[in-house]
């Protein structure tokens, strides 16, 4: 509109100079069209701001319709009202005046006032840079219009409009801000801006992510890798109807507004990558691919990036095949994980972390001698969320460290406040996740918490898993040595589910080995499993270690484990995990009188 305005500004000067040789109707039409474009510029400036404020498409359409009626009425009035023009050849002075001119000033100024009112009223919803740029533009324009209104010989309005465009270009719409200088592709910022507009307008589009890392280049020749990268970029930009963005170093995004074009483009690209690259055609490049045919499976561009990050971290198919077609099911899983993540955050912030206790029965002493502390969290309605729902999410995002510390603090406080030895309990077992085992400050933090509670370390037994010992063995052993020197004992949990089994009992300085429920079930259901378990028991007993059988649910299972010489039994046969007070009541009511020294 500004280009039209400037063009008709120049053209109106030409027709006024040569008005004696031209039809008067043509001269009036050109001059009035110039005035109409001034109203148009102010109208589109208003729409430019409204695009920031009214992101919901239906509301934006209603606003555009309302302001369009106002602007259209002004344009009609400009064409209907008479216009006069003045030209002095000797002084090289020309201008227009009359009712049509006055109507232009009135409607243009009215539109600008509405724009300024919106800028003030909705300032919190407008891009600050855009707000500043438009204010500068409008300030220059209004000053020029006022000067020209009082001195018609100074034709400044068109110049001021052009200066406003320069301000917008430099501050906001400069292509250099949205381009990667090296590749010439649109950058991450451009992708965000463009896709936000598509989401706001309810447009459907597809995205193909092509991800490169060092393993993508099967023939490593660093001196030609840059040339290969540019060859790949050139190939991508030739895909029909694809807009190519460089999201981050090593990740290119192709955006298609047509799903069929996206499918054919993806097929074409994957076929091309089966061939080699480089001047000598000797470099094979195997990138990773994420294809999202329907990006409306998520609500906005931020969730789109979250979805791509989620599938890269959690999809086994992506890791194995280097390609993944993302559908609504994966998006639902991602949203579910985000919901669980928010549950965890709320639980940490509001102290909705609970500890339940499951008793452990000694077959030799015929009583409960220990318990395992099990983490639970509550939602805002007080409903208990089981670990199977939130543990994996907490480990993935690192919040398991804070959760684990909160549980340990609560366990230490529980032991101190209730003097558990009065109930015949010798210690409480506390689980350590894989992430906690890899945390270098674990031993220091746990020793500090025990000291703050004046707790005897032999009241604590920490459970590690085989998977933890595999992933962070060095750090784990250092933490174990520090804690064992302080007086804490360790158990190896979930024995029978890991990859290493018997070897890790030799390597890990543990005092107790806990047979997993799946191993116990296999003992009763599979004849071969009996021999494996018998051998494991013989070796563990030979190392003078204690065994706990988890997941015992029936009298038959209990009796069999006792006959096999298992020292400790844990499972629903005795009790499910219980909250603190229920657990204490259960222990006090089931222990032999000689084992309990607390009054009830």
């Amino acid at each position: 509109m500004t280009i039209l305005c400037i063009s008709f500004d120049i053209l109106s000067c030409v027709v006024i100079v040569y008005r004696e040789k031209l039809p008067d109707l043509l001269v009036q039409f050109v001059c009035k069209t110039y005035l109409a474009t001034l109203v148009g510029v102010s109208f589109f400036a208003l729409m430019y701001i409204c695009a920031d404020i009214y992101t919901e498409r239906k509301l934006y359409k209603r606003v555009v319709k309302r302001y369009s009626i106002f602007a259209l009425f002004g344009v009609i009035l400009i064409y209907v009202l008479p216009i006069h023009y003045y030209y002095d050849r000797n002084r090289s002075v020309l201008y227009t005046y009359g009712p049509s001119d006055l109507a232009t000033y009135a409607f243009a100024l009215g539109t600008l006032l509405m724009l300024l009112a919106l800028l003030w009223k909705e300032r919190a919803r407008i891009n600050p840079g855009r707000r500043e740029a438009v204010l500068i533009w409008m300030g220059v324009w209004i000053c020029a219009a006022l000067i020209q209104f009082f001195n018609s010989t100074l034709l400044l309005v068109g110049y001021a409009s052009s200066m406003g465009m320069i301000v917008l270009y430099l501050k906001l719409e400069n292509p250099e801000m949205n381009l990667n200088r090296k590749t010439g592709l649109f950058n991450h910022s451009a992708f965000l801006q463009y896709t936000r507009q598509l989401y706001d307008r309810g447009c459907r589009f597809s995205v193909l992510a092509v991800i490169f890392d060092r393993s993508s280049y099967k023939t490593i020749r660093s001196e030609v890798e840059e040339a290969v990268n540019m060859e790949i970029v050139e190939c991508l930009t030739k895909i029909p109807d694809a807009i190519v963005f460089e999201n981050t170093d090593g990740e290119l995004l192709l955006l298609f507004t047509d799903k069929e074009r996206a499918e054919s483009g993806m097929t074409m690209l994957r076929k091309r990558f089966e061939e080699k690259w480089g001047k000598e055609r000797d470099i094979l490049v195997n990138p990773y691919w994420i294809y999202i045919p329907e990006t409306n499976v998520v609500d906005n561009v931020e969730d789109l990036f979250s979805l791509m990050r989620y599938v890269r971290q959690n999809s086994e198919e992506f890791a194995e095949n280097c390609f993944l077609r993302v559908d609504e099911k994966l998006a639902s899983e991602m949203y579910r994980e985000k919901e669980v993540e928010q549950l965890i955050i709320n639980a940490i912030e509001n102290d909705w972390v609970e500890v339940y206790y499951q008793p452990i029965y000694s077959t030799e002493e015929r009583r409960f001698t220990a318990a395992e502390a099990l983490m639970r969290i509550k939602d805002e309605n007080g409903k208990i969320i089981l670990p199977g729902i939130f543990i994996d999410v907490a480990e993935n995002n690192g919040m398991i460290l804070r959760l684990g510390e909160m549980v340990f603090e609560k366990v230490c406080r529980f032991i101190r406040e209730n003097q558990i030895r009065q109930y015949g309990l010798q210690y409480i077992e506390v689980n350590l996740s894989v992430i906690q085992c890899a945390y270098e400050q674990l031993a220091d933090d746990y020793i500090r918490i025990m000291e703050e509670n004046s707790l005897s370390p032999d009241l604590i037994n920490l459970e590690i898993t085989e998977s933890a010992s595999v992933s962070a063995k060095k750090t784990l052993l250092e933490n174990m040595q520090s804690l064992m020197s302080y007086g804490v004992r360790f158990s190896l949990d979930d024995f029978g589910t890991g990859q290493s089994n018997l070897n890790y009992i030799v390597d890990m300085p543990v005092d107790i080995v806990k047979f997993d429920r799946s191993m116990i079930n296999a003992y009763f259901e599979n004849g071969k499993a009996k021999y494996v378990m018998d051998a494991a028991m013989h070796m563990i007993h030979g190392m003078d270690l204690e065994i706990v059988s988890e997941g015992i649910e029936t009298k038959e299972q209990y009796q069999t484990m006792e006959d096999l010489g298992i020292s400790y039994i844990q499972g629903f046969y005795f009790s499910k995990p219980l909250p603190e007070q229920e657990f204490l009541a259960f222990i006090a009511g089931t222990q032999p009188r000689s084992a309990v020294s607390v009054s009830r």
Side-chain angles (χ1 to χ4, degrees):
M1 184 56 66
T2 301
I3 291 171
L4 280 174
C5 182
I6 300 301
S7 299
F8 273 96
D9 190 5
I10 297 169
L11 190 58
S12 66
C13 293
V14 173
V15 297
I16 289 172
V17 170
Y18 297 102
R19 69 186 186 283
E20 294 177 356
K21 298 179 182 180
L22 298 170
D24 187 61
L25 192 62
L26 175 62
V27 176
Q28 287 199 35
F29 173 78
V30 171
C31 291
K32 288 182 177 182
T33 301
Y34 161 59
L35 298 179
T37 58
L38 287 173
V39 174
V41 170
S42 60
F43 168 75
F44 281 111
L46 182 61
M47 292 303 97
Y48 185 69
I49 285 298
C50 287
D52 259 9
I53 300 171
Y54 306 106
T55 55
E56 203 278 310
R57 186 157 179 76
K58 290 183 179 179
L59 181 58
Y60 179 73
K61 283 184 175 181
R62 287 203 302 270
V63 171
V64 170
K65 185 177 180 181
R66 184 169 69 243
Y67 289 132
S68 296
I69 293 171
F70 176 80
L72 184 60
F73 180 71
V75 170
I76 292 172
L77 205 59
I78 289 168
Y79 279 106
V80 169
L81 292 173
I83 188 171
H84 308 293
Y85 16 83
Y86 173 83
Y87 174 54
D88 186 337
R89 186 181 301 273
N90 295 324
R91 293 193 300 151
S92 297
V93 173
L94 61 82
Y95 55 86
T96 59
Y97 62 97
S100 185
D101 247 28
L102 293 174
T104 302
Y105 280 106
F107 279 91
L109 184 60
T111 307
L112 294 181
L113 289 175
M114 286 188 283
L115 186 152
L116 293 173
L118 269 177
L119 282 174
W120 173 257
K121 181 182 176 182
E122 306 290 352
R123 57 190 180 279
R125 300 169 63 183
I126 301 173
N127 178 321
R130 181 165 287 118
R131 185 174 66 236
E132 182 184 346
V134 171
L135 281 173
I136 294 172
W137 177 24
M138 292 300 100
V140 172
W141 213 35
I142 290 172
C143 289
L146 288 173
I147 293 171
Q148 185 168 328
F149 180 78
F150 291 107
N151 189 340
S152 301
T153 62
L154 298 175
L155 306 182
L156 298 175
V157 171
Y159 170 75
S161 180
S162 301
M163 290 303 297
M165 290 294 102
I166 294 295
V167 171
L168 287 178
Y169 174 85
L170 293 176
K171 290 188 69 66
L172 292 173
E173 312 300 349
N174 185 352
E176 289 294 315
M177 296 171 61
N178 295 314
L179 291 175
N180 181 298
R181 283 181 175 272
K182 189 174 183 179
T183 62
L185 299 177
F186 292 112
N187 59 23
H188 176 76
S189 174
F191 184 82
L192 287 177
Q193 293 180 58
Y194 187 60
T195 49
R196 280 197 186 111
Q197 291 178 9
L198 294 178
Y199 273 113
D200 289 342
R201 295 169 185 167
C203 300
R204 291 178 174 269
F205 62 100
S206 306
V207 170
L208 175 66
V210 189
I211 305 161
F212 304 88
D213 62 12
R214 294 307 307 172
S215 64
S216 301
Y217 296 86
K218 299 304 179 184
T219 306
I220 299 176
R221 291 174 58 186
S222 57
E223 68 276 6
V224 296
E225 187 176 314
E226 186 173 335
V228 170
N229 288 339
M230 291 308 299
E231 185 182 354
I232 291 172
V233 166
E234 185 178 356
C235 173
L236 297 184
T237 54
K238 290 180 179 178
I239 299 297
D241 298 320
I243 307 175
V244 187
F245 300 83
E246 184 167 7
N247 181 39
T248 57
D249 187 30
E251 183 172 305
L252 303 177
L253 303 174
L254 281 78
L255 187 149
F256 300 85
T257 52
D258 183 278
K259 185 179 176 182
E260 291 184 6
R261 293 283 191 178
E263 295 283 350
S264 61
M266 179 189 64
T267 303
M268 186 188 306
L269 268 178
R270 295 195 70 189
K271 186 175 181 180
R272 173 63 185 89
F273 273 90
E274 291 175 1
E275 303 172 8
K276 293 184 178 181
W277 302 80
K279 187 181 293 186
E280 306 296 329
R281 287 292 182 265
D282 58 347
I283 299 177
L284 186 63
V285 182
N286 288 337
Y288 295 91
W289 307 80
I290 297 176
Y291 176 51
I292 310 177
E294 299 281 356
T295 52
N296 62 336
V297 296
V298 292
D299 301 327
N300 51 59
V301 64
E302 287 75 18
D303 288 350
L304 182 65
F305 280 118
S306 295
L307 179 60
M308 288 192 285
R309 189 163 52 247
Y310 173 80
V311 298
R312 289 180 70 172
Q313 293 173 350
N314 298 283
S315 174
E316 294 182 6
E317 182 183 344
F318 177 72
E320 292 174 2
N321 303 326
C322 301
F323 175 84
L324 185 66
R325 181 185 292 264
V326 180
D327 54 18
E328 192 171 357
K329 180 175 178 290
L330 282 169
S332 298
E333 291 175 3
M334 185 269 293
Y335 276 122
R336 177 56 183 160
E337 181 171 301
K338 290 182 75 171
E339 289 175 6
V340 173
E341 187 173 296
Q342 190 58 52
L343 280 175
I344 298 170
I345 293 171
N346 292 340
I348 291 173
E349 291 179 348
N350 298 288
D351 195 20
W352 292 342
V353 179
E354 299 281 326
V355 181
Y356 278 43
Y357 297 87
Q358 187 172 36
I360 298 174
Y361 186 80
S362 169
T363 56
E364 296 176 0
E365 300 185 39
R366 319 300 292 180
R367 65 184 182 88
F368 296 105
T369 57
E372 180 178 357
L374 298 163
M375 184 194 309
R376 305 285 189 266
I377 65 173
K378 293 190 296 188
D379 63 17
E380 58 186 7
N381 299 315
K383 180 183 176 183
I384 292 295
I385 310 298
L386 297 176
I389 295 175
F390 67 86
I391 287 295
D392 287 344
V393 176
E395 289 188 338
N396 288 337
N397 61 27
M399 287 191 285
I400 192 67
L401 292 173
R402 180 59 188 137
L403 285 175
E405 187 175 306
M406 290 178 73
V407 167
F408 192 69
E409 288 172 342
K410 289 175 181 288
V411 169
C412 290
R413 187 165 60 248
F414 170 75
I415 294 172
R416 172 175 55 81
E417 292 176 352
N418 295 283
Q419 298 296 308
I420 63 169
R421 284 201 173 106
Q422 297 182 76
Y423 291 85
L425 300 175
Q426 298 168 1
Y427 60 88
I428 301 291
E429 293 182 349
V430 182
N431 290 286
L432 294 179
S433 73
V434 175
I435 304 300
Q436 286 176 286
C437 290
Y439 179 51
E440 294 181 354
Q441 300 300 315
L442 176 74
D444 293 339
D445 289 348
Y446 275 31
I447 290 172
R448 172 183 52 79
I449 293 170
M450 285 185 283
E451 289 177 345
E452 289 173 354
N453 285 274
S454 302
L455 205 67
S456 175
D458 63 346
L459 290 167
I460 294 293
N461 183 290
L462 296 175
E463 294 186 9
I464 62 171
T465 63
E466 291 182 52
S467 55
S469 59
V470 169
S471 64
K473 190 171 181 180
K474 181 176 182 294
T475 303
L476 172 61
L477 285 172
E478 290 174 354
N479 280 321
M480 289 179 72
Q481 290 297 334
S482 298
L483 287 162
M484 289 171 64
S485 298
Y486 187 71
V488 175
R489 296 203 308 162
F490 280 84
S491 300
L492 183 63
D493 196 17
D494 295 337
F495 178 78
T497 62
Q499 300 176 353
S500 47
N501 295 328
L502 300 177
N503 292 334
Y504 273 89
I505 300 177
V506 177
D507 294 339
M508 292 292 112
V510 297
D511 300 295
I512 300 171
V513 176
K514 302 189 75 171
F515 283 178
D516 182 72
R517 177 182 177 180
S518 60
M519 187 174 183
I520 301 299
N521 290 338
Y523 181 86
F524 289 97
E525 297 169 2
N526 188 325
K528 294 180 180 179
K530 291 185 177 182
Y531 295 104
V532 174
M533 188 164 161
D534 286 342
M537 287 173 52
H538 179 75
M539 187 198 74
I540 294 168
H541 282 146
M543 296 173 65
D544 200 24
L545 301 178
E546 299 169 346
I547 299 175
V548 176
S549 286
E550 296 181 296
I552 302 301
E553 298 183 354
T554 66
K555 185 175 182 179
E556 177 193 1
Q557 289 178 333
Y558 165 73
Q559 194 62 57
T560 302
M561 292 300 107
E562 185 179 31
D563 293 344
L564 287 171
I566 300 293
S567 306
Y568 299 94
I569 306 293
Q570 179 182 348
F572 278 24
Y573 175 67
F574 292 109
S575 173
K576 63 181 181 180
L578 299 169
E580 285 186 8
Q581 296 308 313
E582 289 184 34
F583 169 74
L584 291 174
F586 173 82
I587 294 296
T590 56
Q591 296 285 58
R593 189 173 297 274
S594 59
V596 181
S597 59
V598 64
S599 60
R600 297 185 61 195

